[in-house]
Amino acid sequence: PTAGCKQSSEPTAAAKPDGAAPATTGGKKKKIAYVTNGVDPFWNTATAGVRAAEKEFGVECEVLMPPKGIVDQKRMVEGLLARGIDGVAISPIDAKNQVGLIDAIAERCPVITHDSDAPDSKRLCFIGMDNYNAGRAAGRLVKEALPKGGKVMLFVGRLEQLNAQQRRQGVIDEVLGRPVPAAGKLSYDPPGKSLSAGAYTVVDTRTDNFDYSRAKANAQDAMASIPDLDCMVGLFAYNAPQCLEAAREAGKLGRIKIVSFDEANAVLEGIRDGHVHGTISQQPYYYGYHSVRILKGLANGDKSVLPANGFQEVPTVEVRRANVDQFWTDLKKMQAAGQ
Amino acid sequence: MSPYPSSNGTASSVAPLLEVRRISKRFPGVHALKEVSLRLHAGEVLAVIGENGAGKSTLMKILAGVQEADSGEFLVEGRPERVDSVRTASRLGIALIHQELSLADNLDVGSNLFLGREPRRGVFLDRARQNREAAEALARVGLDCSPETPIALLSQGRQQLVEIARAVNSGARVIIMDEPTSSLSQGETDRLYSVVRDLKSRGVGVIYISHRLGEVTTLADRVTVLRDGQNAGELARGGINHDAMVRLMVGRDLVRHHRPARGQGEPVLDVRSLRTLAHPGREVSFSVAPGEIVGIAGLVGAGRTEVLRAVFGIDAVVGGEIRVAGTRVPTASPREAIEHGLALVPEDRKHQGVFLEMAVGANTTLASLGHRARWGFIRGNTERQRAAELIAQLDVRPPNPDQTAQFLSGGNQQKVVLAKWLALKPRVLLLDEPTRGVDVGAKQEIYRLMEELAERGVAIVFVSSELEEILRMSDRTLVMHEGRISGTLSREELSEEAVMHLATGGPATR
Amino acid sequence: MKKLLGIFGLLVAVFALTSIANPQFVSAYNLQNLIRWTSLFGIISIGAAFVIITGGIDLSIGSTIGLVGSMMAWLLTQKGWGVGPTLAAVMLCSLAIGLAHGLLITKMRLQPFVVTLCGLLLYRGIARFLTDDQSQGFGNSHDTLRQLAIGKLPISGGFALPAPLFILLGIAALAAVFLNLTVAGRHLLALGRNETAARFSGIRTDTLKIVAYVLCSGLAGVGGILFSLDLNSIQPSGLGEFYELYAIAAAVLGGCSLRGGEGTITGVIIGTAVMRVLYNAINILGIPTHLEFAIIGAVILAGVMTDEWVKRFAARRRAARERAEGATA
Amino acid sequence: MKKLLGIFGLLVAVFALTSIANPQFVSAYNLQNLIRWTSLFGIISIGAAFVIITGGIDLSIGSTIGLVGSMMAWLLTQKGWGVGPTLAAVMLCSLAIGLAHGLLITKMRLQPFVVTLCGLLLYRGIARFLTDDQSQGFGNSHDTLRQLAIGKLPISGGFALPAPLFILLGIAALAAVFLNLTVAGRHLLALGRNETAARFSGIRTDTLKIVAYVLCSGLAGVGGILFSLDLNSIQPSGLGEFYELYAIAAAVLGGCSLRGGEGTITGVIIGTAVMRVLYNAINILGIPTHLEFAIIGAVILAGVMTDEWVKRFAARRRAARERAEGATA
Ligand SMILES: Nc1ncnc2c1ncn2[C@@H]1O[C@H](COP(=O)(O)OP(=O)(O)OP(=O)(O)O)[C@@H](O)[C@H]1O
Ligand SMILES: Nc1ncnc2c1ncn2[C@@H]1O[C@H](COP(=O)(O)OP(=O)(O)OP(=O)(O)O)[C@@H](O)[C@H]1O
Ligand SMILES: [Mg+2]
Ligand SMILES: [Mg+2]
């Protein structure tokens, strides 16, 4: 965390060892960039926040969504640095190993991380939430949905991503009633073996490499192979909607509980109709909003915008049938503000 | 303008069935046809002859709409027509049997026979009728196989018969045969004669291209000669004889010299009880002495090619052994065969001989590169030099090592293949139909070459379906019938009758 | 047909083994899913087969699916078009794509691999551009339309036949008739094996090739419509990625030769079924999903190899028989 | 060489336009990145070219990269192997993959597309299995080793040459010599043209093909090592996805014919450069990323088409000239 403050003492437009562009200077609109970790509806909501903040703070922010993972992310960042940029907010795909990349940005302009943090890097601050806790929150929703216990199956795009792992672990630990581990002491249960404690069983985790039809097939096959499956948890935004479709076709709506992450329309509809028990929203809108707000400040050399100990928490929201309508109208307002 | 020689061919009064005037055609680097004119009457057999590269095939392709002329007139029954595609040509009733096989080998015989002209019910294929008619068509050319046989299983010769049947069956009024007999043996050739006569009697006009002047003499009503892409003259029925034709083609008389038989001493090639895949039940044994020229005669499908392929290691053998100068040659490896001094000029030039898209020079040196390399590196100058020599030695036309091989005429491609092997200085040279599609001039050169090599002590084995060639060249003749050697004929015993007798399965005459 | 023995054996084997290992595999519900997926992928594989038979290849199938899928949802929901116009529009679009491929390949003599590789990038890009990278969906609307993909025809014992099956069967029937019984089909096979020979025989080779590419893209379009209706949430950047490879693999497994001129519709469908059954079996047996690629790759390879062995064995048998005859003769 | 004019023109054009639109494009920093990426992709494209020249294809390049990359990181960090043994192991692994491909294709007569398609699935699966789907990385260790990928050789004016460039140049030089100056190279081209005739000429066609596939996988292995060292973060299921297509596209752009027998190393490198410059230009010009694919697809297509046009035009010109001469003669 303190990494941020340490870094902040250095001049942001540091000398460029090998002739990269100087940051465009005060006169005209600052140009900043918002780099995501992929292409996903989730990031479209975040973009809405970016756009809103753009208007509010009068900066120009470019949103970059690398379609094919780390290589594209690296390539795009290099492009940004090459043409000169006044600040970058990035969601590292592999935080642990991308420290080098983030530090490379830090050499040329202020950099902050969002959604997924890289504490060992020279990033000035992190905007987001703790995926592990989010996972535990989802776990609580599962327990709520299955007071008498039952069989749970998890679905995710790729397990390699830190955020996926942390969420998954959070859900598992919560459902199996394990204690919260000390920070950085996360355990990892490799997929493929079914874990159970008390009335609850986490049967397995299925990955689909972001192929929606695989995601749906995985849900179907789960219901087929485990006729008495009680709950499906979608760890990525698109998983739950596919579980929902599968359940609907199987005629198991309501019979099989669905817990979700993020706020895909299908999920919110599902919650309202009572087909989905609930979802954990990370409020991506604020990722975008705060990123722009803070970068704007930093670009003008104003350190005061930095949050204490470099962590700007965006609280997760647990959406249930009770609060879904409110949440949805707010969401729509935010997205409208983005247009 | 070209002086048009008058002819007294049959029915010259009515407008000719087909006539072209002052046709010209250029290809990159070549002026294939220069104002060539040609005329064909109904019920006439017009032979078109000329050396390799004279432009025969090109002219025929133009007549059949495969290629378009740069300039010139095209008249059918006196009506000017524009033939820009095969479809228009066949609508006008013109069918071409290509010099190179053109079949789809994933289909059966029947489908190939009717390719493009399938009997149909609406959009549907009428298989029953197709098979029925196919059977008849095959019978007419004397091909004894079911219309449902996959074409890939037929030997070259049989495939050629299918192509002939296709054209004959197309109901065309003009049928062009570009070297139809090049892969046929005597039996099939005779069969073809009767087919042609039959067509003739039904008023079909036939254009017949062949380098076998004997055939021309027997068949043709009229002969048109091309030389270097120009009309070189015409011969009417009466005036058709070997020497006259040769004179018009090459513009000079060819001297034929007969040489004494030779080739004694220890055999350099010794084939013992060889059993090939095509005829696993039959054993083949023979040996060849240095400087000896051994011919293998037989009907198409007799298994001659299989024998050569097996000896050269292209196909695995079922049994038997092969020795060169006493040392046993490991079978089923052309490379080993080459190492032991064997070389094979294959029967299917296009697929097995030349590299069509590669330069002539590269073609000629390909097989011998390894032997002339230094540490696996090609020596550019030596290669170029060598290529030039070979091209000169075989008189390849055009003599340009950088010309792409596919733009050479059939005969010149054959020379290129020969050159590839001569570059290796083989001890035993195997030739499968060495003069297939090669004109008299080039033929003489190839014969001369064979003799030269023999003088130098090279043992030569050649498969030929041309009796004339067998009679002319071989010191000793092996006749094959259904996969076994049905007899061996010394130079004294050698005669057309003797060969045909053995080839058709008669008992050995000894 | 002989050629299909190996692959068919593989299908049966995997099917039998899985249903023994876990009876749920043959439960009505699972079979229904299995059939639906096989149908969806079968449709695009048949398209791929046509192009492969001409000796060509189409790498843009996946992107075409993506474009058609997102475009349909976009037109219906964002642009508020009616169902009829929308379907017409997207099908036209996919057919136009095929036409473009065909023209570029036949008239401009470009290599199919290159043309369709560009297509792969281009159509994906257009899809993302049109929709502004927003993921699309039908929500609860258009349920009638969606029946095309998720509808079922109930038959005895809680078992129902998914709608796509009928679409597949219809298309397959037409395709098989076209390929085996019509003159055009025969010409297609001929040109696939030896184009010059076909041209010399006066066959309209170019037209036929173009038709093949149009069919391929058209079927990809149908696939795109069905996939998006089935998923009800379409990500322009993701929908259909890699499907061209699945389609081609299925076609080749089913006995199409990439050298052209070979292939049967039955084979293609069996090939597709094998792939889908494998995916399904892996999930049903609870094998960790990250093993799935390895297993499928290995099994397909094994399948192709045994297939080859079978063929060779048959050939050797024939040779032996002839040898025997030869000896007696 | 003529064949390369079109594509080279395209490269120059894109380069010029971009540097005018945004001078930062030619900044030392950007050029360095550009060169590094071109080198990395160039290496694998050369491998692809060898296989393409034999008339084959290798779809498993990307997965091989993924496997080698993850395996190396896994051995170094998880298994604590030394650098030497690790490099040896992963290179052996990639060469073995090539050997397997070669043997299956030549001895079992399987179609390259099928074999390598299975490879695409298989190696990806193995990578995910080995690493248990955990993304790998070197953290801050192995910085010396990483110099292979991220190292620079400073030359005048703040401009430095990236290490991979030298690796590429080395490989390219060897490859070019092999292809143009050695007997084996000539034989490779010949067999690509007409395999039967090559066999009849006593060329070891099988051996040569195997060599080509070994080279291809081997270079993919080198690529895998460099990519993972460069990224310092390897996702077993993601690293190298689609790279086979990039490699093949580059090779084809560079004048390789998928019919075999044609291709130059220079061409391949130019082809790669075009693709990388395009990606980079789009970034530099701040074009919305979701247009990227569309633009690249369109430009490549345009490039191939103009190339074709140029060829035809040249041919027509030549014909006309000859006709004129003929007239005078
Ligand atoms: N497609 C082509 N492109 C370029 N040149 C060609 C082409 N086809 C033929 N030629 C050239 O045109 C000339 C005539 O060729 P053609 O095949 O008509 O000769 P031919 O009389 O049939 O010889 P052969 O008796 O050997 O078949 C030759 O010099 C040949 O090199
Ligand atoms: N690829 C093949 N597959 C199966 N059988 C074949 C094949 N090629 C030839 N045969 C058969 O083998 C036998 C010998 O064929 P081959 O070509 O050796 O005859 P040939 O005497 O050389 O006649 P040609 O004059 O055509 O050379 C024939 O019965 C032929 O049908
Ligand atoms: Mg000719
Ligand atoms: Mg023969």
Short mmCIF file of all heavy atoms in Angstrom, two decimals, chain A residues 21 68 70-71 74-76 78 81-83 94 97 108 158 160 165 188 207 209, chain D residues 24 36-37 128 133-134 230 232-233 236-237 241-243 276 283-284 289 292:
data_model
loop_
_atom_site.label_atom_id
_atom_site.label_comp_id
_atom_site.label_asym_id
_atom_site.label_seq_id
_atom_site.Cartn_x
_atom_site.Cartn_y
_atom_site.Cartn_z
N ALA A 21 7.68 9.62 -25.54
CA ALA A 21 7.09 10.93 -25.69
C ALA A 21 6.98 11.63 -24.34
O ALA A 21 6.74 11.00 -23.33
CB ALA A 21 5.69 10.78 -26.26
N LYS A 68 -7.32 -10.30 -26.57
CA LYS A 68 -6.72 -11.62 -26.40
C LYS A 68 -5.64 -11.65 -25.33
O LYS A 68 -4.51 -12.03 -25.57
CB LYS A 68 -6.16 -12.12 -27.73
CG LYS A 68 -7.21 -12.41 -28.75
CD LYS A 68 -7.07 -13.81 -29.30
CE LYS A 68 -8.31 -14.18 -30.08
NZ LYS A 68 -9.54 -13.90 -29.31
N ILE A 70 -2.92 -11.15 -22.21
CA ILE A 70 -1.76 -10.39 -21.78
C ILE A 70 -1.00 -9.75 -22.93
O ILE A 70 -0.64 -8.58 -22.88
CB ILE A 70 -0.82 -11.31 -20.98
CG1 ILE A 70 -1.48 -11.61 -19.65
CG2 ILE A 70 0.52 -10.66 -20.78
CD1 ILE A 70 -0.60 -12.29 -18.67
N VAL A 71 -0.78 -10.52 -24.01
CA VAL A 71 0.01 -9.98 -25.11
C VAL A 71 -0.63 -8.69 -25.62
O VAL A 71 0.02 -7.67 -25.77
CB VAL A 71 0.14 -11.00 -26.25
CG1 VAL A 71 0.83 -10.37 -27.44
CG2 VAL A 71 0.90 -12.21 -25.78
N LYS A 74 -0.23 -5.84 -23.15
CA LYS A 74 1.12 -5.28 -23.18
C LYS A 74 1.26 -4.40 -24.42
O LYS A 74 1.70 -3.24 -24.35
CB LYS A 74 2.14 -6.42 -23.22
CG LYS A 74 3.58 -5.97 -23.20
CD LYS A 74 4.51 -7.12 -22.81
CE LYS A 74 5.87 -6.62 -22.39
NZ LYS A 74 6.89 -6.80 -23.41
N ARG A 75 0.84 -4.95 -25.55
CA ARG A 75 0.95 -4.24 -26.82
C ARG A 75 0.25 -2.89 -26.73
O ARG A 75 0.81 -1.85 -27.09
CB ARG A 75 0.28 -5.11 -27.88
CG ARG A 75 0.42 -4.67 -29.28
CD ARG A 75 0.00 -5.81 -30.22
NE ARG A 75 -1.36 -6.30 -29.94
CZ ARG A 75 -2.46 -5.67 -30.30
NH1 ARG A 75 -2.37 -4.48 -30.87
NH2 ARG A 75 -3.65 -6.17 -30.06
N MET A 76 -0.97 -2.89 -26.16
CA MET A 76 -1.73 -1.64 -26.12
C MET A 76 -1.06 -0.63 -25.19
O MET A 76 -0.96 0.55 -25.50
CB MET A 76 -3.15 -1.92 -25.65
CG MET A 76 -3.94 -2.66 -26.70
SD MET A 76 -5.57 -3.12 -26.13
CE MET A 76 -6.29 -3.68 -27.67
N GLU A 78 2.09 -0.42 -24.52
CA GLU A 78 3.26 0.11 -25.23
C GLU A 78 2.82 1.20 -26.20
O GLU A 78 3.46 2.26 -26.31
CB GLU A 78 3.96 -1.02 -26.00
CG GLU A 78 4.77 -1.92 -25.11
CD GLU A 78 5.35 -3.12 -25.86
OE1 GLU A 78 4.99 -3.30 -27.03
OE2 GLU A 78 6.14 -3.84 -25.25
N LEU A 81 2.17 4.42 -24.24
CA LEU A 81 3.39 5.09 -23.80
C LEU A 81 4.10 5.71 -25.00
O LEU A 81 4.64 6.81 -24.92
CB LEU A 81 4.31 4.08 -23.11
CG LEU A 81 3.70 3.42 -21.87
CD1 LEU A 81 4.70 2.51 -21.21
CD2 LEU A 81 3.21 4.48 -20.89
N ALA A 82 4.05 4.99 -26.12
CA ALA A 82 4.78 5.48 -27.29
C ALA A 82 4.23 6.83 -27.74
O ALA A 82 4.98 7.74 -28.08
CB ALA A 82 4.67 4.48 -28.43
N ARG A 83 2.91 7.00 -27.68
CA ARG A 83 2.38 8.26 -28.19
C ARG A 83 2.16 9.27 -27.08
O ARG A 83 1.69 10.36 -27.31
CB ARG A 83 1.10 8.02 -28.95
CG ARG A 83 -0.07 7.54 -28.14
CD ARG A 83 -1.30 7.57 -29.06
NE ARG A 83 -2.52 7.39 -28.32
CZ ARG A 83 -3.09 6.21 -28.13
NH1 ARG A 83 -2.54 5.13 -28.59
NH2 ARG A 83 -4.23 6.12 -27.45
N ASP A 94 -2.56 -10.49 -14.93
CA ASP A 94 -1.80 -11.40 -14.08
C ASP A 94 -0.95 -10.55 -13.15
O ASP A 94 0.26 -10.40 -13.35
CB ASP A 94 -0.93 -12.31 -14.96
CG ASP A 94 -0.13 -13.29 -14.12
OD1 ASP A 94 -0.31 -13.27 -12.89
OD2 ASP A 94 0.67 -14.03 -14.69
N ASN A 97 2.65 -11.16 -11.97
CA ASN A 97 3.77 -11.20 -12.89
C ASN A 97 3.88 -9.98 -13.80
O ASN A 97 4.79 -9.88 -14.60
CB ASN A 97 3.66 -12.45 -13.77
CG ASN A 97 3.80 -13.70 -12.92
OD1 ASN A 97 4.72 -13.82 -12.10
ND2 ASN A 97 2.84 -14.60 -13.06
N ARG A 108 6.89 6.68 -16.83
CA ARG A 108 6.54 7.74 -17.78
C ARG A 108 5.35 8.57 -17.34
O ARG A 108 5.19 9.71 -17.74
CB ARG A 108 6.27 7.12 -19.15
CG ARG A 108 7.52 6.58 -19.78
CD ARG A 108 7.21 5.83 -21.05
NE ARG A 108 8.45 5.27 -21.60
CZ ARG A 108 9.07 4.23 -21.07
NH1 ARG A 108 8.56 3.64 -20.00
NH2 ARG A 108 10.19 3.78 -21.59
N ARG A 158 -11.98 -18.57 -16.89
CA ARG A 158 -10.65 -19.14 -16.79
C ARG A 158 -10.22 -19.10 -15.33
O ARG A 158 -10.38 -18.08 -14.68
CB ARG A 158 -9.65 -18.37 -17.64
CG ARG A 158 -9.68 -18.76 -19.08
CD ARG A 158 -8.61 -18.03 -19.85
NE ARG A 158 -8.70 -18.39 -21.27
CZ ARG A 158 -7.99 -17.82 -22.23
NH1 ARG A 158 -7.13 -16.87 -21.90
NH2 ARG A 158 -8.11 -18.19 -23.48
N GLU A 160 -7.18 -19.32 -14.32
CA GLU A 160 -5.82 -18.82 -14.13
C GLU A 160 -5.85 -17.42 -13.53
O GLU A 160 -4.90 -17.01 -12.88
CB GLU A 160 -5.11 -18.75 -15.46
CG GLU A 160 -5.06 -20.06 -16.17
CD GLU A 160 -5.09 -19.83 -17.66
OE1 GLU A 160 -5.86 -18.97 -18.10
OE2 GLU A 160 -4.34 -20.49 -18.36
N GLN A 165 -9.67 -16.97 -9.13
CA GLN A 165 -9.23 -17.87 -8.05
C GLN A 165 -9.72 -17.37 -6.70
O GLN A 165 -10.26 -18.12 -5.89
CB GLN A 165 -7.71 -17.97 -8.05
CG GLN A 165 -7.16 -18.81 -9.19
CD GLN A 165 -5.66 -18.77 -9.23
OE1 GLN A 165 -5.01 -18.41 -8.25
NE2 GLN A 165 -5.09 -19.12 -10.38
N TYR A 188 -5.61 -22.85 -1.81
CA TYR A 188 -6.15 -23.09 -3.16
C TYR A 188 -6.52 -24.55 -3.31
O TYR A 188 -5.67 -25.43 -3.16
CB TYR A 188 -5.13 -22.69 -4.23
CG TYR A 188 -5.61 -22.98 -5.64
CD1 TYR A 188 -6.61 -22.20 -6.22
CD2 TYR A 188 -5.08 -24.03 -6.39
CE1 TYR A 188 -7.07 -22.46 -7.50
CE2 TYR A 188 -5.53 -24.30 -7.68
CZ TYR A 188 -6.53 -23.51 -8.22
OH TYR A 188 -6.98 -23.76 -9.49
N THR A 207 -14.62 -24.71 -16.21
CA THR A 207 -14.15 -23.55 -16.98
C THR A 207 -14.61 -23.67 -18.44
O THR A 207 -14.83 -24.76 -18.94
CB THR A 207 -12.61 -23.48 -16.97
OG1 THR A 207 -12.10 -24.69 -17.54
CG2 THR A 207 -12.10 -23.34 -15.57
N ASN A 209 -13.31 -21.10 -20.98
CA ASN A 209 -12.50 -20.27 -21.88
C ASN A 209 -13.30 -19.18 -22.57
O ASN A 209 -13.05 -18.86 -23.74
CB ASN A 209 -11.83 -21.15 -22.95
CG ASN A 209 -10.47 -21.59 -22.50
OD1 ASN A 209 -9.66 -20.76 -22.10
ND2 ASN A 209 -10.26 -22.89 -22.50
N GLN D 24 5.13 10.20 -33.19
CA GLN D 24 5.56 9.31 -32.12
C GLN D 24 5.79 7.89 -32.64
O GLN D 24 6.50 7.10 -32.05
CB GLN D 24 4.51 9.28 -31.01
CG GLN D 24 4.43 10.58 -30.23
CD GLN D 24 5.78 10.95 -29.68
OE1 GLN D 24 6.61 10.11 -29.39
NE2 GLN D 24 6.02 12.26 -29.57
N ARG D 36 10.87 -5.61 -31.66
CA ARG D 36 10.86 -6.78 -30.79
C ARG D 36 9.70 -7.70 -31.17
O ARG D 36 9.87 -8.89 -31.37
CB ARG D 36 10.77 -6.38 -29.33
CG ARG D 36 11.23 -7.52 -28.42
CD ARG D 36 11.40 -7.12 -26.98
NE ARG D 36 10.15 -6.76 -26.34
CZ ARG D 36 9.78 -5.50 -26.11
NH1 ARG D 36 10.57 -4.51 -26.42
NH2 ARG D 36 8.62 -5.24 -25.57
N TRP D 37 8.50 -7.12 -31.32
CA TRP D 37 7.35 -7.97 -31.67
C TRP D 37 7.56 -8.63 -33.02
O TRP D 37 7.33 -9.84 -33.18
CB TRP D 37 6.06 -7.14 -31.69
CG TRP D 37 5.56 -6.76 -30.34
CD1 TRP D 37 5.42 -5.48 -29.85
CD2 TRP D 37 5.14 -7.63 -29.29
NE1 TRP D 37 4.94 -5.53 -28.56
CE2 TRP D 37 4.76 -6.82 -28.20
CE3 TRP D 37 5.07 -9.01 -29.16
CZ2 TRP D 37 4.30 -7.35 -27.00
CZ3 TRP D 37 4.61 -9.55 -27.98
CH2 TRP D 37 4.23 -8.71 -26.91
N ARG D 128 -2.23 -27.00 -19.75
CA ARG D 128 -3.14 -26.66 -18.64
C ARG D 128 -3.06 -27.73 -17.56
O ARG D 128 -3.16 -27.43 -16.36
CB ARG D 128 -4.57 -26.54 -19.17
CG ARG D 128 -4.74 -25.39 -20.14
CD ARG D 128 -6.15 -25.31 -20.67
NE ARG D 128 -7.12 -25.05 -19.61
CZ ARG D 128 -8.44 -25.08 -19.79
NH1 ARG D 128 -8.92 -25.38 -20.98
NH2 ARG D 128 -9.25 -24.83 -18.81
N ASP D 133 -3.65 -25.33 -14.52
CA ASP D 133 -4.38 -24.12 -14.91
C ASP D 133 -3.97 -22.89 -14.11
O ASP D 133 -4.71 -21.92 -14.05
CB ASP D 133 -5.89 -24.32 -14.77
CG ASP D 133 -6.58 -24.20 -16.13
OD1 ASP D 133 -5.89 -23.78 -17.08
OD2 ASP D 133 -7.76 -24.54 -16.23
N GLN D 134 -2.82 -22.96 -13.47
CA GLN D 134 -2.32 -21.78 -12.76
C GLN D 134 -1.45 -20.97 -13.70
O GLN D 134 -0.61 -21.52 -14.40
CB GLN D 134 -1.46 -22.23 -11.57
CG GLN D 134 -2.19 -23.09 -10.58
CD GLN D 134 -3.27 -22.28 -9.88
OE1 GLN D 134 -2.97 -21.27 -9.27
NE2 GLN D 134 -4.51 -22.72 -10.02
N ASP D 230 9.50 -12.72 -22.37
CA ASP D 230 9.15 -11.33 -22.62
C ASP D 230 7.95 -10.90 -21.77
O ASP D 230 7.97 -9.85 -21.13
CB ASP D 230 8.81 -11.15 -24.11
CG ASP D 230 8.36 -9.74 -24.41
OD1 ASP D 230 9.23 -8.87 -24.55
OD2 ASP D 230 7.13 -9.52 -24.48
N ASN D 232 6.75 -12.49 -19.12
CA ASN D 232 6.94 -12.80 -17.71
C ASN D 232 5.62 -13.16 -17.05
O ASN D 232 5.41 -12.98 -15.85
CB ASN D 232 7.57 -11.62 -16.98
CG ASN D 232 7.91 -12.01 -15.55
OD1 ASN D 232 8.01 -13.18 -15.23
ND2 ASN D 232 8.04 -11.02 -14.70
N SER D 233 4.67 -13.61 -17.85
CA SER D 233 3.40 -14.02 -17.27
C SER D 233 2.72 -14.91 -18.27
O SER D 233 2.37 -14.47 -19.36
CB SER D 233 2.54 -12.80 -16.99
OG SER D 233 1.19 -13.20 -16.96
N PRO D 236 -1.44 -20.68 -19.21
CA PRO D 236 -1.40 -21.94 -19.96
C PRO D 236 -2.51 -22.05 -20.99
O PRO D 236 -2.32 -22.55 -22.09
CB PRO D 236 -1.55 -22.99 -18.87
CG PRO D 236 -1.05 -22.34 -17.65
CD PRO D 236 -1.39 -20.89 -17.76
N SER D 237 -3.70 -21.54 -20.67
CA SER D 237 -4.79 -21.72 -21.62
C SER D 237 -4.84 -20.59 -22.64
O SER D 237 -5.61 -20.64 -23.58
CB SER D 237 -6.12 -21.77 -20.87
OG SER D 237 -6.35 -20.50 -20.28
N GLU D 241 -2.51 -18.54 -28.25
CA GLU D 241 -3.75 -18.79 -28.98
C GLU D 241 -3.76 -18.00 -30.27
O GLU D 241 -3.42 -16.82 -30.27
CB GLU D 241 -4.95 -18.40 -28.12
CG GLU D 241 -5.76 -19.58 -27.64
CD GLU D 241 -7.02 -19.11 -26.89
OE1 GLU D 241 -7.06 -17.94 -26.47
OE2 GLU D 241 -7.93 -19.92 -26.75
N PHE D 242 -4.12 -18.65 -31.38
CA PHE D 242 -4.28 -17.97 -32.68
C PHE D 242 -2.96 -17.65 -33.35
O PHE D 242 -2.95 -17.22 -34.50
CB PHE D 242 -5.09 -16.67 -32.53
CG PHE D 242 -6.56 -16.87 -32.61
CD1 PHE D 242 -7.37 -16.61 -31.51
CD2 PHE D 242 -7.14 -17.35 -33.76
CE1 PHE D 242 -8.73 -16.80 -31.57
CE2 PHE D 242 -8.50 -17.54 -33.82
CZ PHE D 242 -9.29 -17.26 -32.73
N TYR D 243 -1.82 -17.88 -32.67
CA TYR D 243 -0.56 -17.48 -33.29
C TYR D 243 -0.30 -18.25 -34.56
O TYR D 243 0.33 -17.75 -35.48
CB TYR D 243 0.60 -17.65 -32.31
CG TYR D 243 0.63 -16.60 -31.24
CD1 TYR D 243 -0.44 -15.72 -31.09
CD2 TYR D 243 1.71 -16.45 -30.40
CE1 TYR D 243 -0.43 -14.76 -30.10
CE2 TYR D 243 1.73 -15.49 -29.41
CZ TYR D 243 0.65 -14.65 -29.26
OH TYR D 243 0.68 -13.70 -28.29
N ARG D 276 2.60 -6.68 -37.77
CA ARG D 276 2.93 -5.99 -36.51
C ARG D 276 2.78 -4.48 -36.67
O ARG D 276 2.21 -3.81 -35.80
CB ARG D 276 4.35 -6.31 -36.07
CG ARG D 276 4.66 -7.76 -35.78
CD ARG D 276 3.53 -8.54 -35.15
NE ARG D 276 2.96 -7.90 -33.96
CZ ARG D 276 1.92 -8.38 -33.31
NH1 ARG D 276 1.31 -9.47 -33.75
NH2 ARG D 276 1.47 -7.77 -32.24
N ASN D 283 -2.85 1.19 -32.66
CA ASN D 283 -2.68 1.66 -31.29
C ASN D 283 -2.24 3.12 -31.26
O ASN D 283 -2.83 3.95 -30.59
CB ASN D 283 -1.62 0.83 -30.59
CG ASN D 283 -2.23 -0.27 -29.77
OD1 ASN D 283 -2.58 -0.05 -28.63
ND2 ASN D 283 -2.42 -1.41 -30.40
N ILE D 284 -1.18 3.36 -32.03
CA ILE D 284 -0.57 4.68 -32.00
C ILE D 284 -1.57 5.75 -32.42
O ILE D 284 -1.63 6.83 -31.86
CB ILE D 284 0.65 4.70 -32.95
CG1 ILE D 284 1.74 3.81 -32.40
CG2 ILE D 284 1.15 6.12 -33.13
CD1 ILE D 284 2.44 4.36 -31.19
N THR D 289 -10.11 0.14 -30.14
CA THR D 289 -9.54 -1.21 -30.28
C THR D 289 -10.51 -2.16 -30.95
O THR D 289 -10.09 -3.13 -31.56
CB THR D 289 -9.14 -1.78 -28.91
OG1 THR D 289 -10.19 -1.45 -28.00
CG2 THR D 289 -7.84 -1.20 -28.45
N GLU D 292 -9.84 -2.77 -34.52
CA GLU D 292 -8.56 -3.39 -34.86
C GLU D 292 -8.72 -4.51 -35.88
O GLU D 292 -8.22 -4.44 -37.01
CB GLU D 292 -7.98 -3.95 -33.57
CG GLU D 292 -6.54 -4.29 -33.59
CD GLU D 292 -6.11 -4.60 -32.16
OE1 GLU D 292 -6.51 -5.65 -31.62
OE2 GLU D 292 -5.39 -3.78 -31.58
#
